[in-house]
Amino acid sequence: MKGAQAVAACLKEQGVTTVFGYPGGMILPLYDAFYDDKDIQQVLVTHEQNAAHAADGYARASGKVGVCIATSGPGATNLVTGIATAFMDSIPLVAITGQVDTTLLGKDAFQETDILDVTMPITKHNYKVKDARQLVPTIREAFKLARQGRPGPVLVDVPRDLFFAEVEYRALASAEKRQGEPDADFLICAAEAAGEILRAKHPVVIVGGGVISAGASAEVIAFVEKFHLPVVHTLMGLGAIPSSHPQSLGFAGMHGEKAANHAIAAADLVVAIGSRFGDRQTGNLKKYTQDTKFIHIDIDPAEIDKNVRNTLGLAGDMKKILALLMRHEPRGDLSDWWAKIRKWKESYEYDYHLNRLTVPWAMHQVAVSTKGKSYAYATDVGQHQMWAALHLRVEEPRTWLTSGGLGTMGFGLPAAMGAQLSYGNSRRVIHVAGDGGIKMTGNEYYTIARLQLPIISLIVNNTSLGMIRQLQKVMYKERYIACEFDYPMDYVAYARSFGIEAESVSTQEEFAEALQRALEDKEHPRVIVLNVWRSFVEPMIKGGARIDEFVEFK
């Protein structure tokens, strides 16, 4: 068959049912191969960056490999931000880009760009296929690499003439389709780790996004319950353990909940599961690690000791490692430790009894209104992202979609679109964005309206780049510049221009009523614009401080 048909066949054998992309001359043969094949849904986005974010959101929601396609030159380079976002958060993604014909490579042909060198630092691997005989095995290898071990994005660059070449395609035998087990070479005996856990007086477990990637939520819950360990979440780890779990202390880090941060600061042992100890999680690293032992469990050996020097590191299959730890029986008494933790939780409990509309209050209302129901949350990046992490209640894995590592503004809306296509009718996405990020990728409302995806979109309209303004207050003596929107935008009219029903709210009563209407309308997208006063995300760690030393806002 033709190379383009072979690529389409490879996608189907890998279980791909949805592809996000934008056509162009060099990728058009692949689109043409899809013309007679209705098994794969083609989602035409409004910008290639959104194709990558949508594929990313699809992967986060489904656990499958997300797929995006683009043409050569600007099409391929427009994918870069989305590929980097997936790379930083370890999301399985395959990007297929068209390229100029093999006879034109290296000759500065129209729309030729060396996308391999461009994306080398932000992919697990990338390929330029120059021999038609390698097209099928390369596509298959790309999917295998994207999903195995620590997941991540893989790019395959295909010159246009290879799409027209005759290639041999043989369907995979069922045995070949099986996904191999991740490498489980343990660096040290799990019994030593169990001994440290049993001896600890003030242990804390940190749950990261790796738990979700590994599908190990049930195993982690069983582990912490057996040993009665307090648990904090990283930003990427929300949903790995239900927010309502009695042993969960909430989100920890630069803007984490005070009880969670205090527990980490006071811990004599931290057990990190599927977390890479990013700088937004640790604050001052020297103070973070002082007088504390660390056990690090991760699929990627390169993460062990990379940011934090560990007492013990266990690299390998998370489920297997936890199974070894579960062979031991708990001993000792953690009642004093839990009494201290409960006191922190009571002291820092958020008071939602306010008389004005704020984003924390609105997020709490969303949490209350969706409790026990099938919803997922996708956020953009900024103040609203932190408020959502602090005040929503994420109860299940793969229902919290946010850009953690790269912090990509504009991520939320296309990711929500990809997630909603993944969920179908089984779950509904609530998207939260600021008035800065929505200006970047708000054009994707067009695709959402065209496909009638029932996404509820909450736009925080505080007429500023809120997080930039907050940093300028804390670090630059309130010298506000390039952060305030002095030209008002009508987001209701903007949403309605795409055919989406929208409302603007300024009071608690208006928001509650608008949210209820949106929740009741299960067939159409809705937008609610929250007109709120400029405020600051609390808590916030002081620069260079310990994780439990906070900025006091006046």
Side-chain angles (χ1 to χ4, degrees), residues 488-499:
M489 179 170 173
D490 188 341
Y491 295 101
V492 170
Y494 179 65
R496 287 177 176 171
S497 73
F498 297 104

Side-chain angles (χ1 to χ4, degrees), residues 113-130:
T113 298
D114 185 358
I115 196 62
L116 261 68
D117 278 357
V118 171
T119 59
M120 188 174 295
I122 56 169
T123 53
K124 283 187 72 175
H125 195 64
N126 57 21
Y127 305 85
K128 186 186 294 293
V129 186
K130 295 184 179 179

Side-chain angles (χ1 to χ4, degrees), residues 63-115:
K64 301 176 182 178
V65 177
V67 179
C68 57
I69 57 178
T71 197
S72 62
T77 57
N78 280 343
L79 292 176
V80 167
T81 299
I83 292 172
T85 302
F87 182 75
M88 290 292 284
D89 288 345
S90 301
I91 305 302
L93 184 140
V94 168
I96 301 174
T97 54
Q99 184 55 275
V100 300
D101 291 359
T102 53
T103 57
L104 296 175
L105 290 172
K107 297 183 179 180
D108 293 331
F110 177 67
Q111 290 192 335
E112 179 186 8
T113 298
D114 185 358
I115 196 62

Side-chain angles (χ1 to χ4, degrees), residues 196 200-204 263-270 284-295 308-309 311 337 546:
E196 291 288 354
K201 301 296 184 184
H202 304 133
V204 172
I264 293 174
D268 59 0
L269 175 68
V270 170
N284 184 298
L285 203 55
K286 184 177 180 180
K287 295 180 180 179
Y288 186 83
T289 57
Q290 188 174 3
D291 300 325
T292 306
K293 292 183 177 181
F294 290 86
I295 296 174
V308 168
R309 187 71 180 173
T311 306
W337 177 226
R546 200 172 61 180

Side-chain angles (χ1 to χ4, degrees), residues 28-310:
L28 210 50
L30 181 56
Y31 272 95
D32 187 65
F34 290 135
Y35 183 84
D36 296 318
D37 191 335
K38 306 306 180 186
D39 291 336
I40 298 179
Q41 181 184 15
Q42 300 298 313
V43 180
L44 172 62
V45 297
T46 62
H47 191 284
E48 291 91 351
Q49 178 180 335
N50 297 344
H53 290 325
D56 179 322
Y58 185 97
R60 293 180 197 238
S62 67
K64 301 176 182 178
V65 177
V67 179
C68 57
I69 57 178
T71 197
S72 62
T77 57
N78 280 343
L79 292 176
V80 167
T81 299
I83 292 172
T85 302
F87 182 75
M88 290 292 284
D89 288 345
S90 301
I91 305 302
L93 184 140
V94 168
I96 301 174
T97 54
Q99 184 55 275
V100 300
D101 291 359
T102 53
T103 57
L104 296 175
L105 290 172
K107 297 183 179 180
D108 293 331
F110 177 67
Q111 290 192 335
E112 179 186 8
T113 298
D114 185 358
I115 196 62
L116 261 68
D117 278 357
V118 171
T119 59
M120 188 174 295
I122 56 169
T123 53
K124 283 187 72 175
H125 195 64
N126 57 21
Y127 305 85
K128 186 186 294 293
V129 186
K130 295 184 179 179
D131 184 341
R133 292 172 295 182
Q134 296 301 312
L135 190 54
V136 169
T138 299
I139 295 291
R140 288 172 173 166
E141 189 174 288
F143 275 86
K144 179 180 179 181
L145 187 58
R147 65 167 70 95
Q148 74 177 7
R150 179 178 181 170
V154 179
L155 181 137
V156 182
D157 196 40
V158 184
R160 186 187 64 142
D161 53 323
L162 298 193
F163 286 125
F164 296 111
E166 292 289 336
V167 303
E168 181 179 349
Y169 173 81
R170 180 179 64 86
L172 283 178
S174 58
E176 293 179 275
K177 290 183 181 180
R178 293 174 188 162
Q179 182 181 341
E181 288 292 326
D183 183 5
D185 290 337
F186 305 146
L187 300 183
I188 56 175
C189 179
E192 294 182 51
E196 291 288 354
I197 294 168
L198 296 174
R199 286 190 293 271
K201 301 296 184 184
H202 304 133
V204 172
V205 173
I206 295 177
V207 173
V211 173
I212 297 170
S213 296
S217 290
E219 288 78 4
V220 171
I221 291 171
F223 167 67
V224 299
E225 287 181 346
K226 179 174 183 177
F227 293 94
H228 198 48
L229 302 172
V231 184
V232 304
H233 303 77
T234 68
L235 182 64
M236 296 300 300
L238 287 170
I241 291 179
S243 294
S244 60
H245 194 285
Q247 289 168 232
S248 173
L249 310 187
F251 162 51
M254 179 178 178
H255 292 289
E257 296 188 37
K258 287 186 175 182
N261 282 13
H262 276 296
I264 293 174
D268 59 0
L269 175 68
V270 170
V271 182
I273 308 177
S275 171
R276 60 187 178 84
F277 290 113
D279 58 293
R280 290 296 180 98
Q281 176 185 335
T282 65
N284 184 298
L285 203 55
K286 184 177 180 180
K287 295 180 180 179
Y288 186 83
T289 57
Q290 188 174 3
D291 300 325
T292 306
K293 292 183 177 181
F294 290 86
I295 296 174
H296 194 178
I297 301 171
D298 202 276
I299 187 66
D300 187 356
E303 288 298 329
I304 306 296
D305 294 331
K306 186 177 81 173
N307 293 328
V308 168
R309 187 71 180 173
N310 294 280

Side-chain angles (χ1 to χ4, degrees), residues 361-404:
W361 183 90
M363 294 300 100
H364 178 65
Q365 285 298 115
V366 171
V368 171
S369 300
T370 59
K371 183 178 180 180
K373 301 175 183 177
S374 296
Y375 286 88
Y377 310 103
T379 82
D380 216 276
V381 170
Q383 284 183 314
H384 68 276
Q385 178 189 30
M386 297 298 103
W387 280 318
L390 289 164
H391 301 284
L392 290 175
R393 291 294 173 259
V394 186
E395 298 295 304
E396 299 177 61
R398 302 196 178 283
T399 60
W400 168 255
L401 317 171
T402 199
S403 173

